[in-house]
Amino acid sequence: MSLHLIIGDKLLSSWSLRAALALEMTGAPYSEELIKLGKPDTRERLLKHSPTGKVPLLQTTRGTIADSLAIAEYLAEQFPSEQLWPSDTFARAQARSACAQMHSGFFAMRNHMPFNLSQDAPLNPVPPEVKVDIERMLALWAECRAAATEEGPYLFGRVSLADAFFAPIAVRLRTYQVKLPAVDEAYVETLYQWPAFKAWQKAGLEELNP
């Protein structure tokens, strides 16, 4: 299978991170193309690959798949032996629900706490709507843990696509120095120690000094 992932800046593109982590979970070989965001020719370059004009994009032998959630589902179906979703039926449904909620919500957190791996200062003051988003996020993580049937430090015990989707949230919480309950801080640290994430973080920070 030939897989080619088109992404934005690793320093700044949270959606690209999700797709890259999902691909790493498959263990499959793939090539990568980075298109710098915010440049005069960015949209033109992206439109050559997909009418969405957005990243990430996954090129396959059958065509191009746009959107991180669609990419994740495609990879889960193409690599069933890797069990990218939790194996338990209810836990799997909860994981999908959590990713869908992340995918379509939490706009206050996204708007006021933009993803940037080099960020290292608290948001001050924290708008009320951001506090609501953070509280809901931590509650969502608790719902996932409650549904888990496997042991381990990730959201559903064993690493899953849910962790790929929440890794950018972990970055926001840490880089904006949000104080967290111990269980959530431990989960953030787990994601920061995930080898696939550490490789992405290293490459992203290197973009500061090309």
Side-chain angles (χ1 to χ4, degrees), residues 21-209:
L21 291 175
L23 254 175
E24 286 293 326
M25 289 171 61
T26 70
Y30 67 95
S31 55
E32 181 182 278
E33 178 180 350
L34 192 152
I35 295 178
K36 296 287 288 184
L37 303 178
K39 301 297 182 182
D41 65 342
T42 296
R43 184 163 177 79
E44 178 184 356
R45 292 180 64 190
L46 288 172
L47 288 174
K48 291 179 180 178
H49 301 291
S50 168
T52 67
K54 298 179 180 180
V55 290
L57 299 165
L58 181 64
Q59 292 182 337
T60 76
T61 53
R62 295 283 302 277
T64 299
I65 301 169
D67 188 89
S68 58
L69 190 54
I71 290 170
E73 289 286 12
Y74 173 80
L75 294 173
E77 291 182 2
Q78 290 296 312
F79 300 94
S81 63
E82 300 304 323
Q83 294 186 315
L84 303 190
W85 291 116
S87 56
D88 176 76
T89 302
F90 181 78
R92 186 164 61 251
Q94 179 60 39
R96 281 194 165 104
S97 172
C99 289
Q101 290 178 60
M102 172 65 257
H103 193 265
S104 61
F106 299 95
F107 295 111
M109 188 185 297
R110 291 192 215 170
N111 291 336
H112 293 279
M113 301 169 67
F115 180 89
N116 186 329
L117 289 167
S118 66
Q119 164 73 23
D120 188 24
L123 186 65
N124 189 21
V126 181
E129 61 270 27
V130 172
K131 292 180 180 179
V132 169
D133 267 6
I134 292 172
E135 290 172 2
R136 174 57 195 145
M137 179 61 65
L138 300 185
L140 183 58
W141 287 359
E143 291 165 14
C144 292
R145 293 190 197 96
T149 60
E150 301 178 62
E151 295 295 325
Y154 291 93
L155 208 52
F156 287 88
R158 176 178 54 82
V159 68
S160 74
L161 287 170
D163 303 300
F165 267 73
F166 288 113
I169 294 297
V171 171
R172 287 181 166 95
L173 294 174
R174 175 158 292 188
T175 58
Y176 287 91
Q177 302 177 9
V178 177
K179 295 188 182 301
L180 300 172
V183 64
D184 298 303
E185 185 59 47
Y187 175 57
V188 169
E189 179 62 19
T190 292
L191 294 181
Y192 263 76
Q193 294 305 316
W194 184 4
F197 172 79
K198 290 179 73 172
W200 178 282
Q201 181 191 33
K202 181 176 183 292
L205 293 175
E206 287 173 351
E207 291 176 357
L208 292 168
N209 300 294

